Amino acid sequence: MSAGTQTVSVPAPMGHAARAPGRELSDTGRAIVRLAGFAALGLYGIERWSRLVAVSSTGRLLGLLGLAVAIAGGLPALHRRLGGPPAAVAAFALCLLALPIAGLPWQDFVHLRLALGARHVGDGLAGLPTAILPYAGTGRWVSTVITLGAAVLLLDAAVVLAFAPAAFGDLRRGGAALPLVALAVVPSTLVRPQLPYLQGVLLFALLAAFMWGERLRRQTVAAALTLAAVAAIGAGVLAPRLDAHHAWVDYRAWAGGVPHRRVHAFVWNQTYGPLHWPRKGHIVMTVDAHSGDYWKAEDLDVFNGTAWVAGTVSSGRLPAPDPASLSTWSQPIKVQVGAMRTPDVIGSGFASSPVGVPGGVIPGASDGTWTALRPLGPGASYIITTYTPHPGPAQLIAAGRDYPRYQLSGYRAMRLPQPGLPSTADPELEFPGFYGRRHAAILVGGGALNQPGATYLAHSPYGPVYRLAQRLAADARTPYAFAVRIERYLAGHDAYNENPPVRAAPLATFLLRDHIGYCQQFSGAMALLLRMGGVPARVATGFTTGVRQGRSGPFTVTDINAHAWVEAWFPGYGWVRFDPTPAIAPALGGHADLPIVKSLSGANLGAPGAHGLAGQPLVSTVGRRRRGGAGGVPAELVAALILVLALLAAASGRLRRRRRAAATGGSDGRLRELERALARTGRPLGAGITLAELEHRFRGSPGACGYVRALRLERYRTGVAEPPTGGRRALRAELAAGLGLRGRMRALWALPPRPGGR
């Protein structure tokens, strides 16, 4: 060095090693490695997620992954260059773009018809609890919401990686990794993967690469790869030895595996009063079957004027299904009884004689059901071959008119109570078949006097129910179309509630007055309407599918799965299952204490045919035969999909506020607001209802009644200028009545203190 110069050595700051040139990745290199790890982990996750749907959705999932990578890789640069607000707007726009990529119609996205998109998502969510995975049904929106679940997890991870401060370090990467791990793990819990140990090693390797890959120095890459290979080999050797194919700590045994202490007995005849069911999660049986199904205990073939009960109808032996149907939808199942004692041999659909039942069996009251000579208890097992058809809508529409009149006449009949007559003298009315109902009279049998059937019907509580059945059947060209119309009617007019009032004619008041009930009311009412419309029908009882253990293990069925549904007879297939109960029911995977919102439509007051959940019936009721995993969808997926709804609501908030400001002025605006409030609290308006009738409905509350009266008078300009003070609050209390704390919160959302405050 030259004279007069001096070399000064500056030590590295404490805690930071001096960088060795060429040895450590640059900032750009670290960003590339981080994004590559994110993309690789996301790619593995969508590969696993694609296994939830039988029909390939890989293209949509890859599009969603590309969108997530664009957010994670491009928005940080945009944030540094333009600041936070522009980057946030860009992120919001890209997240909205995920909706059409996931399967929502592009037209709804382009034209901002977000309410329609939200309804499609709601329809898909309603079908999720009863979907059998991998999903191979015909419900478009169920597949869409499954794909949307992946979108939510991918975008959640991308937004965290893009916007979390770099100073968070491992916490930032961990927050982004959690949704991606869920994307891979959740499907593996529902559809058992092939080579699960290798899948676990691969997931760990991808997670490690994403979390710590950017820290590797160039000279340590080889050592890291060697260590990973050794760990993979060790895991492959040890994992099978650790997996004993049974739980180390069996928590289910604590809940339901103590049969000598907690043994359930089920009485299947229906009562329709408040439900006091011992839903403790105790395992009542396991079923080893190729495909999931509803596990039947009894058929309730007889309507005695008040309720559906087990019994024998006056019909001959029904025609056998077509050989092709029998071949397609028959399967042997093995049932092992758990914490339950029952005389019923649990099967599915139509069951042949079981093998191995202790003490033997005799035929049940209905063909295809069996009764054990000695009640079955914990530990009993048997094998039984069952036939449960699941034809699709097109097949049922084309099922034809070959309904044998006399063999099915008992399944179109019911006893109806008459004022002043003892129950033993109640007439039995036989309704004409669906295709001949316009040209035949109602036949009368039983202990009745010699009067026309229409006269007995008019004198019973079920006259209005018959008129409702005829109205629903009027425009239906086939029995299947009639059944779908009934399901839509129930979805739009009746809400799930396990505390309905006790009534003398419970199904009539459920349909015409109370509009609240649980599976007994929904199934009983649908079977009643079907018979009155000339379609052979009955109520079936037993258990829903339960949860499958692994990909091919047995189905675990608990006391929560106890349920009632409907069966209607179709030529060539026999008895086909329909389930009109809302998906919120615990047996279908929902939560009974949360009242379901039946309609979010903007139908005008009194518009005929206004109803809520439109479209196809529930996925599990009528669909193609499905193979693979068990029914049930994890709470994580449902929660993720709820975030999609929140995203839709945020995007359309400004537009809705403008429309609401215009809609809440004057009487017409308040009428529309009232209709929305009724729908949002699960009490939608029936077709053709007038304001006077609505006023009568709230007669028990002077304030609520006065509010509706003021709207009616104001509408026709008869002198009342504004609703009375306190009327709005009283009406809100009526909307929340009987629904608990959540009901009060829902009522506050549906009808806030000030108009337009939602």
Side-chain angles (χ1 to χ4, degrees), residues 346-485:
I346 309 297
S348 176
F350 183 96
S352 61
S353 180
V355 177
V357 175
V361 298
I362 58 174
S366 181
D367 283 347
T369 62
W370 300 89
T371 302
L373 291 173
R374 190 172 66 222
L376 303 175
S381 65
Y382 53 88
I383 296 175
I384 188 169
T385 299
T386 65
Y387 166 71
T388 309
H390 297 296
Q395 294 170 291
L396 292 177
I397 291 172
R401 303 189 176 200
D402 188 17
Y403 283 83
R405 176 178 176 184
Y406 297 106
Q407 292 95 320
L408 289 167
S409 61
Y411 293 101
R412 300 193 311 270
M414 60 189 68
R415 287 192 174 274
L416 296 182
Q418 298 292 304
L421 288 179
S423 60
T424 55
D426 287 341
E428 184 178 61
L429 304 187
E430 178 190 332
F431 296 89
F434 178 83
Y435 288 110
R437 64 186 185 276
R438 294 181 177 86
H439 308 289
I442 302 172
L443 302 180
V444 183
L449 301 175
N450 187 19
Q451 293 187 25
T455 302
Y456 289 112
L457 190 62
H459 291 165
S460 78
Y462 297 93
V465 179
Y466 175 72
R467 291 192 291 273
L468 172 61
Q470 295 303 297
R471 188 169 77 246
L472 293 174
D475 297 329
R477 295 182 178 273
T478 64
Y480 172 72
F482 178 37
V484 171
R485 291 201 68 183

Side-chain angles (χ1 to χ4, degrees), residues 163-170 172-173:
F163 289 103
F168 283 6
D170 288 345
R172 173 197 182 197
R173 290 187 295 275

Side-chain angles (χ1 to χ4, degrees), residues 552-650:
S552 58
F555 293 90
T556 299
V557 183
T558 72
D559 51 7
I560 297 173
N561 294 107
H563 194 49
W565 59 93
V566 178
E567 291 183 342
W569 197 89
F570 287 84
Y573 302 106
W575 294 105
V576 176
R577 182 176 75 236
F578 291 82
D579 192 346
T581 302
I584 196 173
L588 300 177
H591 303 279
D593 58 346
L594 185 64
I596 192 167
V597 178
K598 284 292 186 178
S599 173
L600 293 176
S601 66
N604 293 328
L605 276 170
H611 52 78
L613 298 177
Q616 297 296 328
L618 289 178
V619 177
S620 66
T621 61
V622 183
R624 298 178 181 175
R625 188 180 187 195
R626 290 160 289 199
R627 303 176 182 268
V633 174
E636 293 88 348
L637 177 56
V638 176
L641 293 170
I642 289 175
L643 291 178
V644 175
L645 294 178
L647 190 62
L648 287 168

